[in-house]
Amino acid sequence: MGLFDGLKNQSRKPKDQEVNAVESEQIGYNPENAPIIERDPNVSRETSVVSSTQEDLQADAYTNEPAPSEAVYTATPLRSYAEKKPVRHVVGTTKVIAILNQKGGVGKSTTTINLGAALGAMGKQVLLIDLDPQGNTSSGLGIEKNLLNECIYDVLISDTQLTDIIIPDVCEGLDVAPATINLAGAEVELVSEMAREGRLKEAIGHVRGKYDYIFIDCPPSLGLLTVNALVAADKLLIPIQCEFYALEGVTKLLDSMKRVKSLLNPGLEIYGVLLTMYDGRTTLSKQVAAEVRNFFGRTVFDTVIPRTVKISEAPSFGQPINEYDPTGKGAEAYCALAREVSQRG
């Protein structure tokens, strides 16, 4: 019996658990052969003795540390794209990467914000497109959504240009195309539109060559918004939470991705799989990480994102982790991830 099936039959569910899904793809992948992590009778949800290995040191225990004294929430100025600072380097081919997982709570918005900010700090030009009606990428960077006149909804539904809604220089080298709750209506309104699946791709086409990276924060669903992201993206980055249900739902997701690839975006590929919320003190996190690496191989990033309080706190101050807690383990992990992304090209 698979580990996830066994969990469903338990009479009590863990209090700290969220249902998560994993998305991934390999050449020749057969959805019917989706990996199942077998339950190890020796696996305990209790924490294990912390070793001095490098992997374990990446985990950060929950603590009640106060926020840094200098951390104060400051709303991001709503400047126009015309006020963007000059780009100091030659931008090559723009890489459009959708950060995708069909369920929430696995670190999509957190990764979008912190990876983008880390790359911006490295001198890259990065655009974040918030395609989630919850707007967590926008609010997590201090953007007051109630003050916005237009958002990504207007780009998808009307003739608004992407540059008309971009808020430049939210952080060093980082611009944001924000979302508001209006985006929730786009799923219905796009149904009757012509070329509805390619609206975002068309919009992004006008800013290709102006950014090194464009990251799309996808909603936790497989609706028309996600299809737009799949059509617009060159590659997919898939965050996987190191918890139970990590690999559940992969078949449905990969089926959708393969349909989009075969009909609408032949060049769509998996860019990488990212392990998030990793706690090296627990046997479960180690087992999930090992099984994911065993199955997905080189597509899994070497960097793992630890479970830390600081990463969770940073959005409430409207800051990425490299500004909120620049010397912490969370910032170090996302900086390491940014270097891996830069090396992968």
Side-chain angles (χ1 to χ4, degrees):
M1 178 172 63
L3 179 129
F4 300 132
D5 294 330
L7 181 63
K8 292 179 182 177
N9 295 329
Q10 292 179 355
S11 60
R12 294 185 62 187
K13 296 182 179 180
K15 295 181 180 179
D16 59 348
Q17 174 187 312
E18 290 180 341
V19 178
N20 300 284
V22 173
E23 314 103 23
S24 154
E25 177 177 309
Q26 284 189 324
I27 297 175
Y29 176 80
N30 184 354
E32 295 181 357
N33 296 327
I36 298 177
I37 299 175
E38 295 296 333
R39 180 182 292 278
D40 188 335
N42 296 319
V43 172
S44 170
R45 301 192 75 248
E46 300 298 325
T47 59
S48 58
V49 177
V50 180
S51 70
S52 59
T53 65
Q54 182 177 0
E55 184 181 48
D56 289 347
L57 291 176
Q58 290 173 325
D60 191 11
Y62 280 111
T63 63
N64 293 319
E65 297 177 12
S69 57
E70 67 275 10
V72 177
Y73 177 82
T74 303
T76 297
L78 301 182
R79 293 183 286 260
S80 68
Y81 186 77
E83 300 174 83
K84 178 176 172 58
K85 297 177 183 177
V87 179
R88 298 173 180 264
H89 69 277
V90 177
V91 176
T93 303
T94 301
K95 303 169 186 66
V96 182
I97 301 174
I99 298 179
L100 176 63
N101 192 307
Q102 74 181 70
K103 293 183 181 179
V106 298
K108 293 190 300 296
S109 298
T110 298
T111 297
T112 302
I113 291 171
N114 294 315
L115 175 57
L119 285 167
M122 290 171 55
K124 304 295 185 181
Q125 283 293 308
V126 182
L127 172 64
L128 308 184
I129 297 179
D130 194 349
L131 205 63
D132 188 345
Q134 297 178 79
N136 290 336
T137 293
S138 304
S139 58
L141 286 168
I143 296 173
E144 299 286 352
K145 294 180 287 185
N146 60 310
L147 300 179
L148 297 173
N149 294 321
E150 293 180 308
C151 72
I152 194 67
Y153 165 84
D154 300 282
V155 174
L156 296 176
I157 300 301
S158 64
D159 296 327
T160 302
Q161 295 294 310
L162 188 57
T163 51
D164 291 339
I165 70 161
I166 289 176
I167 301 172
D169 305 317
V170 174
C171 299
E172 182 65 31
L174 185 67
D175 298 353
V176 178
T180 66
I181 193 61
N182 292 341
L183 190 58
E187 291 276 6
V188 176
E189 296 180 53
L190 282 172
V191 171
S192 60
E193 296 291 332
M194 295 291 292
R196 60 192 181 187
E197 300 91 352
R199 288 299 183 94
L200 184 60
K201 181 179 181 179
E202 181 182 357
I204 289 176
H206 296 291
V207 297
R208 278 187 179 269
K210 297 181 179 181
Y211 294 95
D212 297 292
Y213 296 93
I214 297 177
F215 293 109
I216 307 171
D217 182 18
C218 300
S221 67
L222 295 175
L224 274 174
L225 291 177
T226 300
V227 171
N228 263 267
L230 292 173
V231 172
D234 303 319
K235 299 180 183 294
L236 304 179
L237 191 158
I238 303 166
I240 297 178
Q241 185 182 10
C242 295
E243 290 286 351
F244 285 98
Y245 297 123
L247 298 175
E248 191 172 85
V250 66
T251 300
K252 183 178 179 181
L253 176 65
L254 292 182
D255 282 345
S256 298
M257 289 164 48
K258 287 189 175 183
R259 285 197 296 270
V260 170
K261 182 173 182 176
S262 62
L263 299 174
L264 299 169
N265 187 2
L268 185 64
E269 299 290 346
I270 298 296
Y271 183 67
V273 176
L274 176 66
L275 293 166
T276 64
M277 304 182 194
Y278 177 83
D279 187 347
R281 303 168 302 159
T282 64
T283 306
L284 177 61
S285 278
K286 294 177 182 178
Q287 184 190 20
V288 172
E291 291 293 339
V292 170
R293 290 189 184 279
N294 181 61
F295 182 80
F296 295 117
R298 294 183 180 180
T299 59
V300 183
F301 288 104
D302 292 333
T303 303
V304 298
I305 306 303
R307 183 185 289 273
T308 74
V309 172
K310 297 301 184 185
I311 290 179
S312 300
E313 289 176 346
S316 64
F317 289 89
Q319 298 176 352
I321 190 62
N322 65 339
E323 291 186 2
Y324 177 72
D325 185 30
T327 60
K329 293 181 180 179
E332 291 176 356
Y334 274 109
C335 286
L337 176 62
R339 289 191 292 269
E340 272 199 79
V341 168
S342 182
Q343 290 169 3
R344 288 195 181 190

